[in-house]
Amino acid sequence: MKCLNLFSGFFFLSLSLTTHAVVVNDITGMTPVEVTSIVQPESTQQVAELIKNTDGPVSIAGGKYSMGGQTAIKNGIQIDTQKLNHVISFDPKEKLLTIETGANWRQVQELIDPYNLSVKIMQSYANFSIGGSLSVNVHGRYIGEGPIILSVEKIKIVLADGSIVVASPTENQEIFFGAIGGYGGLGVITEVTLRLAENVKVKRVSDVMPIKNYYQYFVENIRSDKDAIFHNAIIYPPDYKKVRSVTFKQTQDPLTIQERLRPNSQYSRKQEAQIKLVTSSDLGKHLRKTYDFFDYINKPVMWRNYEASYDVSNLHPIASKNKSFVLQEYFIPIERFDEFYPDLVSILKKHKVNVINISIRHANQDSGSLLAWAKKEVFAFVIYYQQATDEKSKNEVGIWTRKLIDLALANEGSYYLPYQLHATVEQFQRAYPQAEQYFKLKDRLDPDNKFSNLLLQRYRTELTDNK
């Protein structure tokens, strides 16, 4: 424990603090960073006093599910937000929740489920912190939605001078649109007010089709279906010729699954064995289609919250000594689907990428964040693959990753920033054309560059050096 002596010694704040240098990492185990200390504030005021009395550098960590050093900076302080997890206010009637951002989505679900309410926009897994979700401007499988910024009423953020600012689409707009999706570069988002949705019953329906038919199928059957709540499509390796469309539609049918939330621990030896089989060979990948065929015969009816409460333990183990499962994501205007996917498949095959699956999601246009990935209506191609962790393998991943980024850019698309930092500065600038405006705002709010991490360090430094 370390006590910060504040206000001339008349007021003390106790913070949980690791005072010796420690190596932190992310879920892949591939980005070790030595930080000077880890501190766990428990309120906005504690964050403000910490920032005011710290010269920096400072990084911000929640669930640590990013994969390229977005939560750490060498020789800096890492703010671990796990204890910044209190409910500030909850109005079930107005469907509004104000909560500290170290809380994770599972905590939110357990709070709001008894009121038959659901999170409006979040990832597929409920382990992630709310602050991390805001920082990367996440999306999920929600039809008719998009990046999480579309569900945010306002935020409270601590700036580099320790000041506490409320920002929304109408108040301190520049800060609002810079901080959400800003990867902790402008300050620490400590509280957020979220709009919630109704928790309704949903039925899972599924269709399999040639990939060449998917775009037309989506436009005609999913895009304007008011009953569709969740939707994604699975592209199956190793031939990438078939797509399974999976949609959860609002229904009045009786429940076949009575539980309101999934269990907290979802590890399954059977699931681990299936993942190992899929990663082991092309035969294993073909067998996965057979498993899915029997699984998707059923049309279960469940609560929306049940389907939204997956736990990442379902995917464990993610990292081993020599290999790790990793994500990449590319955003393509929906009308460019048929132009994009053949070249995507060609690159993955040429480089023999060990793809587990590619999930297609849908997102509407961003409302204005400076580092927006959805500049218009897009499909997200989420690639889940396994790679070796030696330096040669990392370099090889970088080669085909930059090819995929170029392909996305050629199709007027973008790539997602929470993952490994393989993009060149030129690719980053093209994918995020308002990055210069973002860094100018950062320079104004954080002139000493107090807030940093490996992502911001790389691209801010290179952009500055290139001027």
Side-chain angles (χ1 to χ4, degrees), residues 187-324:
V188 185
I189 303 174
T190 58
E191 298 176 20
V192 62
T193 300
L194 297 164
R195 291 191 296 274
L196 304 174
E198 294 285 343
N199 183 32
V200 296
K201 291 188 293 184
V202 293
K203 176 191 283 188
R204 187 185 72 187
V205 294
S206 178
D207 292 296
V208 178
M209 67 202 72
I211 191 171
K212 64 181 181 180
N213 295 346
Y214 174 72
Y215 172 69
Q216 195 66 30
Y217 173 89
F218 176 84
V219 171
E220 293 178 357
N221 298 283
I222 307 298
R223 189 186 192 189
S224 59
D225 186 347
K226 300 301 182 183
D227 290 329
I229 304 295
F230 303 101
H231 173 80
N232 71 292
I234 303 165
I235 306 177
Y236 289 107
D239 52 19
Y240 304 95
K241 292 180 180 178
K242 294 286 187 180
V243 166
R244 178 176 291 279
S245 167
V246 184
T247 308
F248 291 78
K249 297 187 176 185
Q250 185 171 345
T251 182
Q252 297 301 318
D253 290 355
L255 293 167
T256 63
I257 299 174
Q258 300 298 322
E259 292 84 355
R260 297 184 66 89
L261 294 171
R262 294 177 184 270
N264 279 295
S265 178
Q266 296 166 23
Y267 170 75
S268 162
R269 290 187 180 274
K270 178 181 177 181
Q271 173 79 353
E272 181 182 352
Q274 288 181 353
I275 292 175
K276 286 182 177 178
L277 181 63
V278 171
T279 59
S280 65
S281 66
D282 285 354
L283 175 60
K285 291 175 173 57
H286 285 296
L287 288 173
R288 188 260 175 99
K289 300 176 192 175
T290 303
Y291 296 143
D292 279 5
F293 172 79
F294 288 105
D295 183 31
Y296 284 101
I297 286 175
N298 297 322
K299 297 181 179 181
V301 178
M302 66 198 74
W303 290 109
R304 169 175 171 153
N305 281 346
Y306 184 87
E307 177 56 24
S309 56
Y310 283 100
D311 189 282
V312 292
S313 60
N314 180 264
L315 301 174
H316 284 177
I318 291 174
S320 63
K321 182 178 180 181
N322 300 314
K323 293 182 179 180
S324 186

Side-chain angles (χ1 to χ4, degrees), residues 66-279:
S66 60
M67 299 180 176
Q70 292 83 354
T71 62
I73 187 70
K74 187 176 181 180
N75 297 326
I77 293 175
Q78 184 183 72
I79 296 179
D80 182 336
T81 62
Q82 291 182 74
K83 293 185 178 181
L84 189 70
N85 62 1
H86 305 97
V87 176
I88 305 302
S89 65
F90 176 36
D91 188 336
K93 184 177 180 181
E94 295 298 323
K95 301 178 186 174
L96 290 174
L97 169 67
T98 301
I99 191 168
E100 292 177 339
T101 54
N104 62 37
W105 293 112
R106 176 68 185 214
Q107 291 173 256
V108 173
Q109 290 169 338
E110 291 176 354
L111 170 68
I112 67 177
D113 182 77
Y115 299 89
N116 224 26
L117 294 173
S118 293
V119 177
K120 193 173 179 67
I121 301 171
M122 59 176 279
Q123 305 97 315
S124 294
Y125 292 88
N127 306 73
F128 304 111
S129 71
I130 297 171
S133 300
L134 295 170
S135 178
V136 306
N137 202 11
V138 298
H139 67 98
R141 296 171 291 144
Y142 300 92
I143 288 296
E145 301 293 349
I148 193 174
I149 194 171
L150 300 176
S151 68
V152 177
E153 287 282 325
K154 62 182 178 181
I155 60 173
K156 186 173 286 187
I157 182 170
V158 177
L159 301 180
D161 61 359
S163 61
I164 301 169
V165 174
V166 174
S168 74
T170 58
E171 180 183 6
N172 294 309
Q173 297 167 294
E174 197 174 25
I175 294 176
F176 180 83
F177 290 115
I180 298 182
Y183 292 82
L186 303 188
V188 185
I189 303 174
T190 58
E191 298 176 20
V192 62
T193 300
L194 297 164
R195 291 191 296 274
L196 304 174
E198 294 285 343
N199 183 32
V200 296
K201 291 188 293 184
V202 293
K203 176 191 283 188
R204 187 185 72 187
V205 294
S206 178
D207 292 296
V208 178
M209 67 202 72
I211 191 171
K212 64 181 181 180
N213 295 346
Y214 174 72
Y215 172 69
Q216 195 66 30
Y217 173 89
F218 176 84
V219 171
E220 293 178 357
N221 298 283
I222 307 298
R223 189 186 192 189
S224 59
D225 186 347
K226 300 301 182 183
D227 290 329
I229 304 295
F230 303 101
H231 173 80
N232 71 292
I234 303 165
I235 306 177
Y236 289 107
D239 52 19
Y240 304 95
K241 292 180 180 178
K242 294 286 187 180
V243 166
R244 178 176 291 279
S245 167
V246 184
T247 308
F248 291 78
K249 297 187 176 185
Q250 185 171 345
T251 182
Q252 297 301 318
D253 290 355
L255 293 167
T256 63
I257 299 174
Q258 300 298 322
E259 292 84 355
R260 297 184 66 89
L261 294 171
R262 294 177 184 270
N264 279 295
S265 178
Q266 296 166 23
Y267 170 75
S268 162
R269 290 187 180 274
K270 178 181 177 181
Q271 173 79 353
E272 181 182 352
Q274 288 181 353
I275 292 175
K276 286 182 177 178
L277 181 63
V278 171
T279 59

Side-chain angles (χ1 to χ4, degrees), residues 361-382:
R361 318 285 177 87
H362 171 263
N364 285 336
Q365 183 177 2
D366 192 287
S367 59
S369 60
L370 292 182
L371 297 183
W373 46 260
K375 302 171 190 68
K376 56 173 70 176
E377 184 185 9
V378 295
F379 282 126
F381 288 73
V382 185

